[in-house]
Amino acid sequence: MGIESLDDIFGDLPNYPGSKEPKNRKPPKTLGDPSVTLKPTFYTINGVRQEFYTVGQLAKLLNRKPVTIRMWESRGWIPPAIYRTAIPEKSQLPGKTSRGRRLYTRAQVELIVQAVEQFIGDQPRLSSAKWAEFKRYIKQHWTK
């Protein structure tokens, strides 16, 4: 007779210390339509005006940090951003080559949000099988 999970040990404990809920804690963001919560940047690509979102805006929508989105890209869980802003004139970090900010189309942002809601949610840790499903889903539906 073993312990199956931490819930068996700790039960339904709140995610804050003490008996009173914090007064200054904001409720978690809900994933929604990017046009409602984010302000897109518009660029003209081959004569067609398109809306784009930065990695910071995508991270804000997912309630994560931009470094998390960059890590997903570096590990191959999401494809690299196809579009980037112009290369800055000055190097921001000595000895590092700047390539411009990552830009995601509205369809790409909606796909990532949908995949996160479906496969990741608010879970702090995922099995490698769940990440593989997430990656496969993104790869099948990614638009350029």
Side-chain angles (χ1 to χ4, degrees):
M1 187 166 160
I3 298 172
E4 294 182 13
S5 70
L6 291 178
D7 289 337
D8 293 341
I9 299 171
F10 297 110
D12 293 328
L13 290 178
N15 67 349
Y16 50 87
S19 59
K20 293 184 181 178
E21 189 171 344
K23 293 179 183 178
N24 61 352
R25 182 177 291 177
K26 296 176 184 174
K29 295 178 186 174
T30 57
L31 301 177
D33 184 16
S35 65
V36 173
T37 57
L38 301 176
K39 184 178 176 186
T41 304
F42 291 92
Y43 292 98
T44 303
I45 308 286
N46 296 329
V48 178
R49 188 171 187 237
Q50 295 182 0
E51 61 181 323
F52 290 97
Y53 299 90
T54 63
V55 69
Q57 291 173 316
L58 175 60
K60 187 181 289 186
L61 183 64
L62 295 172
N63 205 15
R64 288 177 168 64
K65 295 184 179 184
V67 69
T68 303
I69 308 303
R70 291 186 204 108
M71 179 199 65
W72 290 356
E73 184 180 303
S74 69
R75 291 187 178 177
W77 295 339
I78 62 173
I82 299 166
Y83 301 101
R84 287 188 178 259
T85 60
I87 298 172
E89 292 180 16
K90 294 183 180 179
S91 176
Q92 295 173 349
L93 295 173
K96 186 147 180 142
T97 306
S98 296
R99 297 192 304 167
R101 293 182 178 211
R102 293 167 175 85
L103 296 173
Y104 298 95
T105 64
R106 180 185 184 88
Q108 292 167 341
V109 168
E110 289 173 347
L111 171 66
I112 293 171
V113 167
Q114 183 181 9
V116 167
E117 285 177 340
Q118 186 174 346
F119 295 103
I120 299 173
D122 292 334
Q123 300 172 14
R125 298 210 178 268
L126 291 177
S127 66
S128 58
K130 272 286 193 192
W131 280 117
E133 288 178 41
F134 174 78
K135 181 180 174 181
R136 191 176 319 111
Y137 181 82
I138 293 282
K139 192 177 274 191
Q140 286 174 350
H141 298 90
W142 192 256
T143 58
K144 293 185 179 184

